[in-house]
Amino acid sequence: MTDYYELAELADQILGIANEDLTELSEIIDDLEPRLREELLDSDFLNAYQVFYYYFRCEPREIVMDRLMLEPATSVKSKIHIDDYDILEMYFTVKNSSPEIVLSDGDAEIKHFSGKDAYQDAVNYAENKSYY
């Protein structure tokens, strides 16, 4: 495990180089040694939106972006409620270094998506699902 202050310094350097460009940030993170990458993605030095973008390489709806920006990256370990589609609630999490999107009816999981296309697959499913 990397020393907290070393990880903080690394995060500061990376964020300075990326200069708020999420594509650049993702490419820099890609180049990190895997253990260090996972520590950074699971730290409070990034926010949940940066982690979301890293895994999915896409920009979600503005409401999702806003919700994720307010959460630290460590929140991704547990499910973060990011959006609603009719009766479905959408959650984002990362398990074993794999991004996941979970759709729920509020009581039970309806559908689970994982991998780099999980977000888009979940949105497509939610937008095309007939609930009536």
Side-chain angles (χ1 to χ4, degrees), residues 9-124:
E9 186 174 316
L10 174 65
D12 193 44
Q13 290 172 351
I14 290 171
L15 292 169
I17 292 168
N19 195 27
E20 298 188 31
D21 181 330
L22 292 173
T23 301
E24 179 73 17
L25 177 65
S26 295
E27 290 171 359
I28 294 168
I29 293 171
D30 276 338
D31 290 338
L32 295 175
E33 180 258 307
R35 180 191 54 79
L36 192 54
R37 177 184 319 120
E38 293 309 313
E39 286 184 42
L40 184 60
L41 290 169
D42 189 32
S43 74
D44 284 333
F45 300 117
L46 299 178
N47 63 44
Y49 177 59
Q50 292 163 322
V51 174
F52 178 95
Y53 189 90
Y54 173 77
Y55 282 111
F56 299 124
R57 309 289 167 111
C58 71
E59 293 188 14
R61 294 185 336 156
E62 191 170 338
I63 186 73
V64 175
M65 189 183 318
D66 291 345
R67 287 177 177 170
L68 289 168
M69 284 181 160
L70 296 173
E71 294 285 342
T74 53
S75 295
V76 174
K77 289 183 212 174
S78 58
K79 293 177 191 164
I80 300 173
H81 179 216
I82 60 170
D83 211 347
D84 295 297
Y85 284 87
D86 198 19
I87 65 167
L88 294 178
E89 297 172 353
M90 183 180 287
Y91 295 88
F92 168 55
T93 190
V94 175
K95 292 185 181 170
N96 300 319
S97 303
S98 179
E100 299 182 358
I101 299 292
V102 176
L103 296 177
S104 168
D105 66 2
D107 294 321
E109 183 178 308
I110 302 296
K111 192 82 171 157
H112 177 248
F113 302 88
S114 62
K116 67 180 182 62
D117 297 322
Y119 176 70
Q120 195 55 55
D121 291 345
V123 168
N124 291 341

